[in-house]
């Protein structure tokens, strides 16, 4: 390990107790997406403490921020991504209180050698990953266009390489009919719930003709008020997912056509909308990912414990990965197999074992970013792969 990498690790260890305390604070005070006022304030305070400039809010997102440190010497720009929103009712069951401090800790460690090697560190505070992911409008606004790479790590029960994610649309169908007494005058009603049920039946039939990578799943979020009243309003929400945005656009249009057919069959009027932000697919940069795995091994993780990446649903970092080379690996922070978004994972992710895993993740992120800063040939390989992947 180089002297600069040793310096990075030393600095992260120096501040490890601070980083753990902040993570524990955020974990104990879960906030929903775009409401992460406590978390955002604490993270911004820490960046200022370590000599970063902080810009906030970003794009009118009150809990978003960008912390920046630039060396006088020119060099690549590294984007480290922070997430800190929690889930409804079950809090930080996805470990975002660990994610934000992996990235912030990595930035602090990396800053300690930046004046020597040159470059810029940008720490992006990205609210609401679970719902209306801020990375999407940030990417649309070009905030990652000047970044050479972007990286973050996610807590998990295994060390997993950065993999893929599905592009997603969140589609809501609202059907408007006419109410009537279901027994005395059913002929005067137009049943909005029937239109919802027809939509589910049509989508269920459509699933026979889609690829194995496609996912369509939904709920009835309003089905009427009483069994003896024909519902004049009913609605359903669906997640529609596919391997790429190009495939998803076609798929979502077909799902909308099914709902339109259901409205026509029942005589209802249909209003279609997106109830959450659409995400694009994650395109992992394999050369960048390999560098991260190598640094994990240098930090003592056996190669056989670093498994291939899987599809973990949909993530707003997908939109970032189409703007600059990106990775989203997973770090073991618990020693029992528990799925994300579970109470069991939430409880374990608040323990000291998880906080130790967070510090390891910060070190792996920082040393990988250092490789990009200090090895022009690696950065060129990463750039070439990225340019080919997004053609």
């Amino acid at each position: 390990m180089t002297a600069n990498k040793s310096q990075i690790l030393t600095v992260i260890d120096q501040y490890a107790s601070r980083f753990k305390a902040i993570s524990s604070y955020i974990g104990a005070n879960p906030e929903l997406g775009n409401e992460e006022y406590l978390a955002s304030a604490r993270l911004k305070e820490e960046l200022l403490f370590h000599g970063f400039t902080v810009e906030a809010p970003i794009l009118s997102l009150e809990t978003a921020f960008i912390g920046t440190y630039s060396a006088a010497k020119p060099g690549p720009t590294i984007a480290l991504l922070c997430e800190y929103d929690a889930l409804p009712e079950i809090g930080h069951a996805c470990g975002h209180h660990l994610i934000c401090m992996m990235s912030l800790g990595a930035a602090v460690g990396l800053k300690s050698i930046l004046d020597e090697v040159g470059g810029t560190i940008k720490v992006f505070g990205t609210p609401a990953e679970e719902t209306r992911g801020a990375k999407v409008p940030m990417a649309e606004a070009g905030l990652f266009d000047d970044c050479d790479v972007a990286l973050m790590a996610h807590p998990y029960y295994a060390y997993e390489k950065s993999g893929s994610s599905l592009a997603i649309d969140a589609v809501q169908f609202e059907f408007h009919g006419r109410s009537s007494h279901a027994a005395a005058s059913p002929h005067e009603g137009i049943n909005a719930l029937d239109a919802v049920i027809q939509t589910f039946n049509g989508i269920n039939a459509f699933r026979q003709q889609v690829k194995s990578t496609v996912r369509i799943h939904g709920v009835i979020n309003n089905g009427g008020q009483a069994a003896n009243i024909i519902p004049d309003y009913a609605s359903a929400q669906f997640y529609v997912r596919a391997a790429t945005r190009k495939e998803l656009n076609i798929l979502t249009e077909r799902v909308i056509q099914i709902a339109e057919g259901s409205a026509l069959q029942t005589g209802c009027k249909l209003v279609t909308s997106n109830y959450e932000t659409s995400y694009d697919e994650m395109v992992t940069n394999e050369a960048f990912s390999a560098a991260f795995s190598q640094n994990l091994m240098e930090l003592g993780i056996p190669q056989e414990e670093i498994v291939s990446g899987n599809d973990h649903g949909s993530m707003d970092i997908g939109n970032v990965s189409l703007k600059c080379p990106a990775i989203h690996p997973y770090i073991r922070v618990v020693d029992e197999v528990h799925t994300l978004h579970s109470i069991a994972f939430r409880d374990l992710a608040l323990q000291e074992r998880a906080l130790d895993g967070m510090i390891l993740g910060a070190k792996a992120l920082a040393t990988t970013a250092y490789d990009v800063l200090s090895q022009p040939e690696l950065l060129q390989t990463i750039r070439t792969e990225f340019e080919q992947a997004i053609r």
Side-chain angles (χ1 to χ4, degrees):
M1 183 171 290
T2 67
N4 277 337
K5 282 190 177 181
S6 295
Q7 169 71 8
I8 289 169
L9 303 186
T10 297
V11 169
I12 292 175
D13 283 334
Q14 177 185 347
Y15 293 108
S17 61
R18 289 180 65 96
F19 299 154
K20 289 181 178 182
I22 297 168
S23 178
S24 296
Y25 169 78
I26 294 172
N29 295 277
E31 301 165 293
L32 298 180
N34 292 319
E35 299 175 10
E36 315 99 321
Y37 297 104
L38 296 175
S40 178
R42 191 65 192 85
L43 295 168
K44 289 183 288 187
E45 288 173 4
E46 190 67 9
L47 285 167
L48 289 170
F49 173 81
H50 291 286
F52 287 76
T53 61
V54 177
E55 178 186 0
I58 304 297
L59 303 179
S60 300
L61 299 168
E62 292 183 5
T63 56
F65 61 83
I66 301 175
T68 304
Y69 183 83
S70 293
K73 184 178 179 180
T77 297
I78 307 293
L80 286 154
L81 311 181
C82 294
E83 297 173 1
Y84 34 92
D85 60 319
L87 292 157
E89 299 185 11
I90 59 174
H92 277 290
C94 202
H96 290 192
H97 64 300
L98 302 170
I99 290 175
C100 58
M101 292 313 300
M102 285 192 218
S103 290
L104 194 153
V108 171
L110 192 62
K111 175 180 175 289
S112 69
I113 54 81
L114 198 70
D115 290 335
E116 178 180 342
V117 299
T120 296
I121 305 166
K122 289 189 175 184
V123 181
F124 286 82
T126 64
E129 188 276 334
E130 298 288 356
T131 51
R132 297 186 175 277
K135 297 183 196 67
V136 175
M138 286 179 170
E140 290 175 352
L143 299 188
F144 298 102
D145 290 357
D146 65 345
C147 297
D148 289 276
V149 295
L151 68 165
M152 59 177 289
H154 200 293
Y156 199 44
Y157 62 78
Y159 297 103
E160 190 174 290
K161 298 175 184 177
S162 183
S164 62
S165 72
L166 299 174
I168 185 173
D169 286 330
V171 187
Q172 176 167 277
F173 299 120
E174 297 177 277
F175 294 95
H176 297 267
R178 184 168 61 238
S179 63
S180 182
H181 195 291
S185 53
H187 55 286
E188 295 181 1
I190 297 176
N191 196 319
L193 179 58
D194 280 349
V196 168
I197 293 171
Q198 287 284 71
T199 299
F200 271 88
N201 289 338
I203 289 172
N204 286 340
F206 177 53
R207 283 197 185 95
Q208 299 175 70
Q209 281 81 48
V210 300
K211 294 180 178 180
S212 60
T213 52
V214 166
R215 300 287 184 270
I216 310 173
H217 40 104
V219 296
I220 299 173
N221 58 329
N222 192 312
Q225 302 304 315
N228 63 346
I229 303 173
I230 291 176
D232 64 347
Y233 175 81
S235 62
Q237 294 179 334
F238 289 89
Y239 285 128
V240 188
R241 309 181 197 241
T244 67
R245 168 55 52 186
K246 183 177 180 180
E247 291 180 20
L248 182 59
N249 288 341
I250 297 170
L251 186 71
T252 300
E253 182 59 32
R254 288 286 289 112
V255 170
I256 292 172
Q257 289 171 352
I258 291 169
E260 290 171 342
S262 299
L264 183 63
Q265 288 176 331
T266 57
C268 291
K269 293 181 180 179
L270 170 65
V271 176
T272 300
S273 61
N274 291 327
Y275 65 94
E276 290 178 2
T277 302
S278 295
Y279 297 173
D280 292 342
E281 70 275 15
M282 172 71 186
V283 179
T284 284
N285 188 282
E286 297 298 339
F288 196 13
S289 179
F292 184 87
S293 295
Q294 180 61 41
N295 279 288
L296 268 184
M297 288 186 282
E298 289 181 10
L299 290 166
I301 306 305
Q303 183 175 3
E304 59 271 18
E305 292 188 17
I306 306 171
V307 300
S308 297
N310 294 314
D311 159 28
H312 286 271
S314 304
M315 308 176 293
D316 62 349
I317 193 177
N319 295 65
V320 179
S321 74
L322 301 178
K323 295 292 185 178
C324 69
I327 56 171
H328 182 278
Y330 290 77
I331 295 291
R332 179 186 291 165
V333 300
V334 301
D335 295 319
E336 302 172 24
V337 177
H338 291 294
T339 61
L340 300 172
H341 292 208
S342 68
I343 291 175
F345 185 86
R346 176 200 66 190
D347 292 345
L348 288 171
L350 294 169
Q351 304 303 312
E352 187 68 19
R353 163 68 181 92
L355 297 173
D356 289 338
M358 176 189 79
I359 297 300
L360 176 67
K363 292 177 177 179
L365 289 172
T367 51
T368 302
Y370 172 74
D371 287 342
V372 174
L373 291 170
S374 61
Q375 300 176 25
E377 67 281 3
L378 173 61
L379 179 55
Q380 185 55 55
T381 300
I382 290 171
R383 283 175 174 166
T384 299
E385 179 185 331
F386 172 73
E387 291 166 1
Q388 293 173 346
I390 64 169
R391 284 178 182 171

